[in-house]
Amino acid sequence: MYRYDAIDKEFLTDRSNEFRHQVGRRLAGELSEDQFKPLRLMNGLYLQLHAYMLRVCIPYGTLNVAQVRRLAWIARTYDKGYGHFTTRQNIQFHWIKLRDAPDILDALAEVNLHAIQTSGNCIRNTTSDPRAGATAEEIDDPRVWSEAIRQWSTLHPEFSYLPRKFKIAVTASAKDRTAARVHDIGLALRRGRDGTLGFEVMVGGGMGRTPFIGQTIKEFLPATRLLSYLEAVLRVYNRAGRRDNIYKARIKILVSSLGAEEFGRQVEEEWAQIDAARADLPDTELARIRAAFIQPGLEVLPPVSDSYEAARAANPALARFARNNVSAHKAPGYAIVDVSLKAHDATPGDANSDQLEAIADLAERFSLGDIRVTHEQNLVLPHVKQSDLPALFEGLVAVGLATPNINLVSDIIACPGLDYCALANARAIPVAQSIAQRFLDADRAELVGELKIKISGCINACGHHHVGHIGILGVDKKGEEYYQLTLGGSGAEDASIGKILGPGLNADQVAPAVDRLVEVYLAERQGEERFLDTYRRIGMTPFKEAVYVDAH
Amino acid sequence: MSAEFLKALTANRLGEGDVVFWSSGQWVEQFADAELFTEEAPAEAAVALAKAQNRTVVDAYLIDVTRSEQGVAPVSYRERLRALGPTNELGHGKQALGGAAIAALQAASGAARSTGRLDLIRRK
Ligand code: HEM
Ligand code: SF4
């Protein structure tokens, strides 16, 4: 795992001291709210419905044991004992006091965490694959490149006041676990025919009120030229992106109005002007970053653990967990474990302090101290010996974190919605819970298989509803909460934007409607088809008829 | 549309972020203790006073309030949630206090959800 050096540490301490001073001046009345608000937002502090909310950056979703313990401590000391993991692999605390914020930033800085660039019109945290460094599927370790982007984009003077926020994803496997095609820039690692490393560069993806799938503007960018090329993309956007209308300011609007080809041409033109020697990462620096991600401690093990096989055969609960939450590791005898934060009565993405501490302990014992956050609001323990899986499973069961539902119908993404968010139209959390409750039967959920339900409380789409196999958007219909369903979205390598099913439903109708959609799928599916595949084959009509049957 | 002018003044405390309501020059924690304005002039005067309290509160604004058999409640769902707390954690926020006034607000929220009254106004 990457270790911050003395310069990084000093920078974080300085930043937190600066914010302490700013908060002091605000509380003393020396700064007005209008003057102070941009300063607090630069430190990830929003005012929500019930309190301030602090968004803490988790670089490309990677945490160590000390950091998770510190997050647990912050949740217990300054919040109501829990935190909320987001679709951007970050964590939010929902009950923060402004007075406490400087102390919290200090506590974060001690473990190399911060809230910088978690808000505002700058380059945000880079999304990456939570299985980085553990999966055999990857072409290269995407953390290396994500870390390079982190260093390059942190406090980048030219790109601190962009027309709008900017989000980059780096994926390295054929299976995209980063939603790269709905990011402002999606980078997919590729090997060229000559074996060299490069990126497919996709731009202009995004969600919000005008969703777009990113378009490829460069099939193969030599990896060593990454930073200069990003600089060129950002520079074209910074110059030509609209600043007159907040709804048209994202790069996706620029790319769609120019056309991807013309946008790509302008980037090439800009790129040709940039001095590569200045802009690109020196090989020595790249080598230094790469060395930091070489995983120490992996043992040479037989590919199959007999004790694990025996335990799985003897314990049906472990077997179910293994089917849904355990996947292959690149090293023989190891496994990658997904930890679901989607128990049926839980708030999607929430973890309480006891659970966070348990995860830290379990990661220390069983996962080489490495913890990842997924954009689907779950956690991953990436390096677990198969022979440790039974003990890990028991440890997870003890704190309610062994829900065997990864990628299943109850593994739902939900934004905080109207229960917390000042921008919301409707609640998202109770809708997710009502669906999870309806699909409590684990055998049926496994029979249904992969089904990605994603819920946002408003059109900003923080809950990724546009790319849900079933998307659910909360709307306000004359003061009442209503929900608009979409079908056929995907945030993965087969990305697409969902299409509206029909008229909005009230909160009580959503879970029954999902049930009917699932019944149509089960009746119609062929072979190994997922819900999404069946929808793509048979189209909207059968689903629509099933949900609106009463309306005839 | 109800013709009655009925409003309360709300804000968040600067240092804590807590939701508060105006009551005769003081900020109180519970909606049940909020002053209800039945005329525009005193309501606007209170807003002006609140906005001058730069060191105490942020984001002061008037909300619409309605009277029903259950009592008075903010008209919009959003404002009822601010007056209560999140519905996924019933022990968090103002609703933790319990009692008749909280129960009445919760009942008003429930009513809005299931009856689909169409004359609710949203403040955002
Ligand atoms: C303080 C609470 C939040 C506020 C004020 C907020 C605000 C917004 C806004 C205004 C947008 C639309 C941006 C645009 O299209 O230009 C947006 C998009 C987004 N937010 Fe949030 N959000 C909040 C919480 C969250 C949470 C909890 C998550 C994760 C669960 C999240 C993740 C995202 C994502 C993934 C997008 C869409 C992707 C994109 O188009 O950039 N946000 N948010
Ligand atoms: S989608 Fe809307 S309601 Fe949900 S967190 Fe984002 S801004 Fe808030």
Side-chain angles (χ1 to χ4, degrees):
Chain A
M1 190 167 173
Y2 190 76
R3 306 234 168 265
Y4 284 10
D5 58 21
I7 298 173
D8 292 304
K9 282 179 182 296
E10 193 184 313
F11 164 66
L12 289 185
T13 316
D14 285 354
R15 180 65 174 245
S16 132
N17 287 339
E18 179 187 58
F19 190 55
R20 180 178 298 282
H21 191 65
Q22 290 163 341
V23 170
R25 289 167 64 206
R26 175 66 186 102
L27 291 173
E30 291 163 26
L31 293 176
S32 70
E33 186 61 15
D34 286 347
Q35 290 166 325
F36 178 67
K37 189 173 171 186
L39 302 176
R40 77 164 151 74
L41 286 177
M42 279 180 197
N43 291 285
L45 198 62
Y46 291 74
L47 184 59
Q48 292 292 76
L49 292 184
H50 317 292
Y52 291 93
M53 176 205 95
L54 182 68
R55 184 181 291 157
V56 177
C57 178
I58 301 176
Y60 34 92
T62 301
L63 288 165
N64 63 32
V65 168
Q67 290 172 328
V68 174
R69 287 194 178 125
R70 185 55 59 95
L71 293 173
W73 179 82
I74 287 170
R76 191 176 281 130
T77 310
Y78 297 108
D79 200 280
K80 293 189 186 293
Y82 72 99
H84 177 73
F85 289 99
T86 79
T87 45
R88 307 227 56 259
Q89 299 177 303
N90 291 327
I91 187 169
Q92 295 184 173
F93 294 109
H94 284 149
W95 294 92
I96 296 302
K97 297 181 184 353
L98 176 61
R99 299 184 187 289
D100 293 335
D103 291 341
I104 300 173
L105 291 189
D106 278 348
L108 289 169
E110 282 171 15
V111 292
N112 298 338
L113 288 172
H114 60 81
I116 298 164
Q117 289 177 212
T118 60
S119 170
N121 296 335
C122 51
I123 302 173
R124 306 286 189 89
N125 187 21
T126 297
T127 310
S128 195
D129 191 338
R131 297 187 181 182
T135 174
E137 298 164 12
E138 72 191 12
I139 284 160
D140 187 30
D141 190 331
R143 292 173 301 175
V144 172
W145 303 100
S146 304
E147 173 59 24
I149 295 170
R150 187 191 73 78
Q151 296 187 13
W152 163 77
S153 63
T154 299
L155 261 55
H156 195 302
E158 185 178 344
F159 304 134
S160 291
Y161 293 92
L162 295 166
R164 200 77 182 91
K165 56 170 97 163
F166 205 91
K167 303 174 180 175
I168 303 174
V170 184
T171 176
S173 301
K175 186 129 190 66
D176 179 12
R177 285 173 284 263
T178 69
R181 282 184 166 77
V182 285
H183 280 71
D184 296 277
I185 297 180
L187 298 167
L189 276 153
R190 302 262 181 266
R191 281 254 174 240
R193 261 178 237 120
D194 58 355
T196 56
L197 205 54
F199 293 96
E200 178 184 347
V201 183
M202 297 160 274
V203 297
M207 292 180 273
R209 67 184 60 217
T210 33
F212 281 104
I213 300 298
Q215 302 184 64
T216 299
I217 59 166
K218 201 160 184 69
E219 294 284 350
F220 191 83
L221 169 73
T224 50
R225 302 295 318 277
L226 177 66
L227 295 186
S228 60
Y229 194 81
L230 289 179
E231 190 169 310
V233 174
L234 265 296
R235 196 165 284 162
V236 171
Y237 167 57
N238 205 15
R239 195 163 53 214
R242 289 182 60 171
R243 291 173 189 266
D244 59 321
N245 181 341
I246 189 173
Y247 300 121
K248 304 211 159 143
R250 296 287 293 269
I251 194 175
K252 61 190 175 185
I253 304 292
L254 180 64
V255 172
S256 101
S257 70
L258 288 178
E261 204 169 313
E262 170 59 16
F263 182 83
R265 195 196 59 75
Q266 294 191 15
V267 170
E268 291 292 325
E269 206 172 273
E270 187 63 44
W271 194 36
Q273 309 290 314
I274 295 174
D275 172 10
R278 175 194 59 78
D280 284 318
L281 206 57
D283 290 345
T284 49
E285 179 58 11
L286 187 61
R288 188 186 70 83
I289 295 177
R290 185 174 289 285
F293 289 105
I294 293 169
Q295 182 63 52
L298 283 175
E299 296 169 27
V300 177
L301 298 175
V304 176
S305 155
D306 294 336
S307 63
Y308 168 53
E309 293 303 319
R312 205 157 48 140
N315 180 352
L318 175 60
R320 190 188 295 280
F321 181 80
R323 278 197 302 277
N324 294 298
N325 296 41
V326 177
S327 12
H329 194 282
K330 66 180 181 188
Y334 281 84
I336 302 171
V337 176
D338 285 286
V339 178
S340 168
L341 300 179
K342 317 288 178 64
H344 71 89
D345 52 352
T347 295
D350 276 13
N352 65 37
S353 295
D354 293 342
Q355 291 174 324
L356 288 170
E357 275 162 2
I359 284 286
D361 292 347
L362 292 169
E364 192 165 50
R365 280 171 66 199
F366 300 127
S367 182
L368 302 176
D370 201 345
I371 302 108
R372 311 289 175 77
V373 185
T374 79
H375 86 273
E376 293 181 320
Q377 300 180 293
N378 292 316
L379 301 176
V380 170
L381 298 177
H383 308 294
V384 182
K385 281 184 199 166
Q386 289 177 17
S387 55
D388 285 335
L389 283 169
L392 170 62
F393 176 67
E394 292 312 322
L396 291 171
V397 168
V399 287
L401 289 177
T403 313
N405 66 346
I406 295 298
N407 290 333
L408 301 184
V409 53
S410 55
D411 184 6
I412 301 171
I413 292 184
C415 78
L418 190 54
D419 283 305
Y420 299 88
C421 177
L423 304 177
N425 285 325
R427 291 172 301 156
I429 296 164
V431 175
Q433 290 170 335
S434 72
I435 296 169
Q437 194 68 42
R438 194 151 181 126
F439 287 87
L440 268 184
D441 178 349
D443 289 331
R444 180 163 179 244
E446 278 193 71
L447 178 73
V448 174
E450 181 182 311
L451 176 48
K452 305 212 172 196
I453 300 180
K454 308 188 191 238
I455 312 176
S456 307
C458 80
I459 193 63
N460 286 327
C462 305
H464 286 194
H465 68 275
H466 291 302
V467 295
H469 297 178
I470 299 175
I472 302 175
L473 164 65
V475 295
D476 179 324
K477 205 163 151 189
K478 306 212 168 94
E480 218 199 325
E481 297 171 296
Y482 261 77
Y483 297 90
Q484 196 172 74
L485 270 54
T486 49
L487 297 187
S490 169
E493 60 286 353
D494 56 353
S496 58
I497 305 291
K499 293 205 169 52
I500 292 174
L501 175 73
L505 304 172
N506 73 33
D508 301 336
Q509 294 170 322
V510 175
V514 170
D515 210 333
R516 287 180 185 180
L517 294 171
V518 166
E519 286 304 323
V520 172
Y521 157 65
L522 289 176
E524 299 281 342
R525 79 167 159 196
Q526 295 177 354
E528 296 290 293
E529 274 182 346
R530 304 167 299 163
F531 178 91
L532 181 63
D533 304 321
T534 301
Y535 165 81
R536 285 177 173 169
R537 181 172 53 79
I538 69 175
M540 187 68 90
T541 310
F543 293 101
K544 186 167 181 161
E545 278 172 357
V547 169
Y548 296 101
V549 61
D550 299 339
H552 287 297
Chain B
M1 284 271 160
S2 149
E4 191 191 9
F5 184 99
L6 197 60
K7 286 183 196 287
L9 175 57
T10 186
N12 291 75
R13 266 194 218 283
L14 171 66
E16 293 74 25
D18 298 355
V19 174
V20 285
F21 301 93
W22 179 269
S23 176
S24 316
Q26 307 281 323
W27 292 105
V28 295
E29 301 296 320
Q30 294 293 332
F31 174 77
D33 301 327
E35 179 175 356
L36 296 180
F37 298 98
T38 52
E39 283 171 47
E40 188 154 0
E44 291 301 336
V47 171
L49 284 172
K51 288 207 186 285
Q53 296 189 4
N54 173 43
R55 286 176 57 180
T56 314
V57 294
V58 288
D59 262 2
Y61 58 91
L62 292 170
I63 58 172
D64 293 316
V65 174
T66 169
R67 265 185 230 282
S68 69
E69 304 94 77
Q70 279 113 349
V72 290
V75 169
S76 85
Y77 207 91
R78 177 187 200 267
E79 291 306 329
R80 288 197 297 273
L81 284 187
R82 282 181 78 246
L84 286 167
T87 61
N88 67 321
E89 293 283 355
L90 295 177
H92 293 173
K94 301 184 182 301
Q95 60 202 344
L97 184 73
I102 292 290
L105 270 180
Q106 285 169 332
S109 302
R113 202 161 59 242
S114 54
T115 61
R117 279 151 56 204
L118 294 180
D119 59 345
L120 301 179
I121 303 159
R122 172 170 67 110
R123 190 214 166 270
K124 219 186 103 182

